[in-house]
Amino acid sequence: MTRHGHECVFCRIARGEAEASLVHGDDLVTAFLDINPVTPGHVLVVPRRHVASLGELEDPEAARLMLVGRFVLGALRGGAVRCEGVNLFLADGEAAGQEVSHVHLHVFPRFAGDGFALHGDWSRFPPRAELDALAARLRATLP
Ligand code: 5GP
Ligand code: ZN
């Protein structure tokens, strides 16, 4: 994938050059069905601009990404597909599971027994002092 997204499949979809089943399009973002859905109705919302990381988006693009994510959530909950709940998921960086280096917000329906699971070590409850110290370090770097 080039820096400017010439080979990027999501850029090609956003430009209408690659096939996709579109569910939304506006000046900043486009949304389409994932070709390899976790559950039926799995949508990807992507900025039109080729940007790899959520952190590199302009604020209006990031805001629109979430707004359209919410619209899609509403549509999924509206009855078109089996939907007892919805997950929004965004992998930022290879270590986080990002496979396509063009920002994409996953929005997919959930239902009992759908087989989806996020694995991790959820066993630890750190002491408050440790949490407070870490929160302070993060606060210091937030805009
Ligand atoms: P990631 O693992 O990067 O968070 O998710 C990438 C997602 O993009 C995967 O769910 C994958 O199925 C989807 N995807 C990859 N290539 C294409 C494509 O050409 N068209 C569509 N619609 N989805 C794609
Ligand atoms: Zn791209």
Side-chain angles (χ1 to χ4, degrees):
M1 237 150 280
T2 68
R3 183 170 172 76
H4 301 293
H6 295 304
E7 310 295 327
C8 171
V9 66
F10 291 172
C11 282
R12 296 188 65 235
I13 288 172
R15 288 196 296 260
E17 294 167 9
E19 198 176 36
S21 299
L22 301 177
V23 299
H24 172 86
D26 62 41
D27 56 330
L28 296 180
V29 306
T30 183
F32 48 89
L33 289 176
D34 197 301
I35 39 161
N36 182 208
V38 163
T39 51
H42 183 160
V43 168
L44 300 173
V45 188
V46 313
R48 288 197 178 277
R49 222 158 53 83
H50 182 83
V51 168
S53 169
L54 184 65
E56 300 166 35
L57 287 181
E58 299 295 337
D59 289 352
E61 294 172 301
R64 188 71 62 80
L65 196 76
M66 181 52 75
L67 186 65
V68 171
R70 285 182 54 215
F71 290 159
V72 170
L73 178 148
L76 295 175
R77 283 191 171 277
V81 293
R82 183 165 180 200
C83 181
E84 296 164 7
V86 174
N87 270 137
L88 273 68
F89 179 78
L90 194 150
D92 196 272
E94 210 175 321
Q98 184 175 8
E99 287 175 349
V100 178
S101 59
H102 180 137
V103 176
H104 48 284
L105 177 64
H106 296 259
V107 187
F108 51 93
R110 298 297 312 278
F111 48 85
D114 63 23
F116 181 79
L118 271 178
H119 298 287
D121 180 3
W122 302 84
S123 65
R124 205 167 160 259
F125 291 85
R128 177 62 51 198
E130 186 180 324
L131 294 174
D132 284 348
L134 183 51
R137 278 170 55 199
L138 294 174
R139 274 200 308 274
T141 60
L142 283 176

